[in-house]
Amino acid sequence: MIPAEQPANETERLQVLHSLKILDTVADDDYDTITELASLLCGTPVSLISMVDEERQWFKSKKGLDVCETAREHSFCAHAILEPTEILEIPDARLDPRFIDNPLTENETPVVFYAGVPLRTDTGVPIGSLCVIDHKPNALTPDQRSALKKLGKQVERLLLLRSMNHELITTKESLKKHNGLLKEFASVVSHDLKMPLANIILTSDIVKKKYGEFIDDQGKAYLDYLKKSSLSMSDYITKILDHYECSSYDIDDTQAFEVNDLLEGVIDLMNIRDNCEILTPENNIAIHCNSTALQQIFMNLIGNSLKYSDKEKTVIQIAVTEMDKLYEFKVRDNGIGIEKEKLDTIFELFTTAGQLDNTGQKGHGIGLSTVKNLVENLGGEITVTSELGVFSEFVFTIAKRVRF
């Protein structure tokens, strides 16, 4: 008997095999179906899906065999993986120097005939084989060899799917962990923002009550506006945090509302100058979606129109169209526009158009990336068209939600 040599990439091969986490797992119908077919098509009493570990070969699926593993030094499959692109076929192992005196050829159900197709990962690393075994001399026909190779490919696809599923599970766990950290961060930020707002609200009331007799009506109106704006912003922060929590736990926080009511709320939250005109849709349609997400989308788009305006009068036009399965929104302004070569990358994180806003500041490239993510989470898409110095128009859709 001549035990198989170790492959040149043995260390990598074992790492790949163990990363699949398939060793010592329970039987699986998907694999068992393949060994049943292999045995039937090749006319052999035994068929195995074997994984060659460091000191053993372990059978993920077995047809016509009771044991779950054998020693690697006795393994036929350990020889098969040495030529990972070829079928290893042994008509009579009792006549082959590699297997003479092998315990597997001398037991009550001896391995006499063997044919094994190596199983490789998508990177070409051999980890085991799909083999058929007979207790007497045999040989495969060309059709049987072809069938065995095709069944081997099916096993490889199952292994690839298993690997991808593990990656998805690992990614999901990682995202869950990071989402937990982000939730804690969002909660802290929310608290740190709302506390100063609460102080502004309280201070406004105190100033109005204590010094009211010294403040004229216009001054009192300013205090009222300051309080109203602070209350609105505090409420908005709360809704943003609620929306984040809903997104983290896949809760579909949808509700019915009229689009102009939402837009009026957005406009009230923003610092709209006297030289700015916002034209809301003439058709005030009812919408059923996540209002907090849609509100944040409009806050970003309208905010950009205000910041990147170079005209004596800023005009922002908002339109909505109801379609069969979507709502389509358009936000168009008469601002500085976006350079043509920037249009394809404007939604990428930390990418900006390069222009300074009307306060001389450069954008941070987060807002439009956030908008794109929100739109896609709502089942839609967003595009932009622009002419430098003339206009910018953002068109986005969101999917209609079924009402229960």
Side-chain angles (χ1 to χ4, degrees):
M1 184 185 78
I2 305 174
E5 297 179 359
Q6 288 191 353
N9 62 342
E10 178 68 0
T11 300
E12 177 193 2
R13 196 191 68 78
L14 290 174
Q15 288 176 345
V16 171
L17 174 61
H18 294 158
S19 71
L20 288 173
K21 301 185 185 300
I22 195 171
L23 295 173
D24 301 309
T25 56
V26 298
D28 189 312
D29 287 342
D30 290 334
Y31 295 90
D32 290 344
T33 298
I34 292 175
T35 50
E36 289 278 353
L37 285 171
S39 183
L40 178 64
L41 291 171
C42 295
T44 60
V46 179
S47 179
L48 307 170
I49 293 176
S50 173
M51 302 293 159
V52 181
D53 199 1
E54 186 174 10
E55 296 181 352
R56 61 171 177 159
Q57 63 172 353
W58 174 81
F59 307 126
K60 173 57 183 174
S61 178
K62 55 187 187 295
K63 160 71 175 172
L65 191 69
D66 293 330
V67 298
C68 295
E69 61 183 58
T70 62
R72 178 171 175 172
E73 61 180 325
H74 303 150
S75 168
F76 284 60
C77 295
H79 288 272
I81 64 173
L82 296 177
E83 295 291 340
T85 62
E86 302 294 334
I87 289 181
L88 174 63
E89 185 171 356
I90 303 167
D92 191 338
R94 298 168 300 182
L95 305 178
D96 191 309
R98 292 171 294 181
F99 305 106
I100 294 174
D101 298 328
N102 187 312
L104 298 180
T105 66
E106 298 178 347
N107 58 27
E108 294 181 358
T109 54
V111 178
V112 177
F113 167 76
Y114 172 92
V117 57
L119 300 174
R120 296 180 296 167
T121 65
D122 58 324
T123 58
V125 178
I127 57 174
S129 72
L130 168 65
C131 65
V132 291
I133 294 171
D134 205 342
H135 307 310
K136 63 182 189 304
N138 203 339
L140 297 182
T141 67
D143 286 343
Q144 288 173 328
R145 290 175 66 88
S146 176
L148 191 62
K149 285 184 177 181
K150 290 177 180 177
L151 289 174
K153 290 296 182 184
Q154 293 304 312
V155 178
E156 290 175 350
R157 290 188 179 95
L158 288 175
L159 294 172
L160 177 59
L161 287 174
R162 181 181 183 86
S163 177
M164 293 172 65
N165 284 337
H166 277 301
E167 289 179 6
L168 288 173
I169 291 171
T170 301
T171 301
K172 182 178 179 181
E173 290 300 320
S174 177
L175 288 173
K176 185 177 180 181
K177 178 181 177 180
H178 285 295
N179 279 341
L181 295 173
L182 286 172
K183 181 182 176 183
E184 293 177 9
F185 175 74
S187 180
V188 171
V189 170
S190 173
H191 177 269
D192 289 348
L193 287 175
K194 291 177 73 172
M195 283 301 296
L197 290 172
N199 290 335
I200 292 173
I201 294 167
L202 181 61
T203 302
S204 298
D205 286 339
I206 291 174
V207 169
K208 188 174 180 180
K209 182 176 181 180
K210 189 172 182 179
Y211 302 102
E213 60 183 294
F214 303 107
I215 302 174
D216 59 17
D217 290 341
Q218 187 176 16
K220 292 176 181 178
Y222 286 147
L223 289 173
D224 289 340
Y225 179 76
L226 186 65
K227 180 179 179 180
K228 179 182 177 182
S229 297
S230 298
L231 286 169
S232 296
M233 183 57 72
S234 180
D235 181 60
Y236 178 66
I237 292 170
T238 299
K239 288 181 178 179
I240 289 295
L241 184 58
D242 289 343
H243 171 64
Y244 175 78
E245 291 175 343
C246 291
S247 300
S248 298
Y249 295 99
D250 298 322
I251 297 174
D252 191 12
D253 185 25
T254 63
Q255 56 184 302
F257 55 91
E258 292 186 338
V259 64
N260 281 350
D261 291 342
L262 180 136
L263 288 171
E264 288 172 6
V266 169
I267 292 169
D268 285 343
L269 285 172
M270 307 189 74
N271 182 24
I272 307 299
R273 302 184 299 272
D274 292 338
N275 65 337
C276 176
E277 182 180 9
I278 299 181
L279 304 175
T280 55
E282 296 181 0
N283 51 334
N284 186 22
I285 66 173
I287 290 180
H288 191 251
C289 76
N290 189 309
S291 62
T292 306
L294 186 59
Q295 186 181 43
Q296 189 172 0
I297 291 169
F298 278 118
M299 286 278 288
N300 275 282
L301 295 180
I302 294 173
N304 279 351
S305 295
L306 295 173
K307 287 192 298 181
Y308 295 98
S309 174
D310 61 347
K311 305 300 189 297
E312 185 175 336
K313 181 176 182 179
T314 300
V315 179
I316 303 172
Q317 297 173 285
I318 303 173
V320 60
T321 303
E322 184 173 6
M323 301 178 178
D324 184 29
K325 297 181 180 180
L326 300 167
Y327 301 107
E328 182 185 77
F329 300 89
K330 294 181 180 180
V331 179
R332 183 185 179 100
D333 63 49
N334 63 338
I336 62 178
I338 304 169
E339 295 176 356
K340 185 176 181 180
E341 57 269 22
K342 299 287 187 179
L343 293 177
D344 291 337
T345 61
I346 197 69
F347 296 106
E348 295 177 6
L349 188 61
F350 304 129
T351 298
T352 66
Q355 298 100 326
L356 300 179
D357 63 22
N358 46 34
T359 65
Q361 300 296 315
K362 185 177 180 180
H364 45 57
I366 297 176
L368 289 179
S369 175
T370 300
V371 167
K372 182 175 185 290
N373 287 337
L374 287 169
V375 167
E376 290 177 349
N377 287 338
L378 292 175
E381 298 177 345
I382 185 167
T383 58
V384 59
T385 55
S386 183
E387 184 178 344
L388 201 60
V390 181
F391 78 96
S392 292
E393 182 176 74
F394 291 86
V395 179
F396 67 93
T397 58
I398 61 173
K400 287 185 174 180
R401 300 299 183 189
V402 178
R403 304 188 191 192
F404 295 97

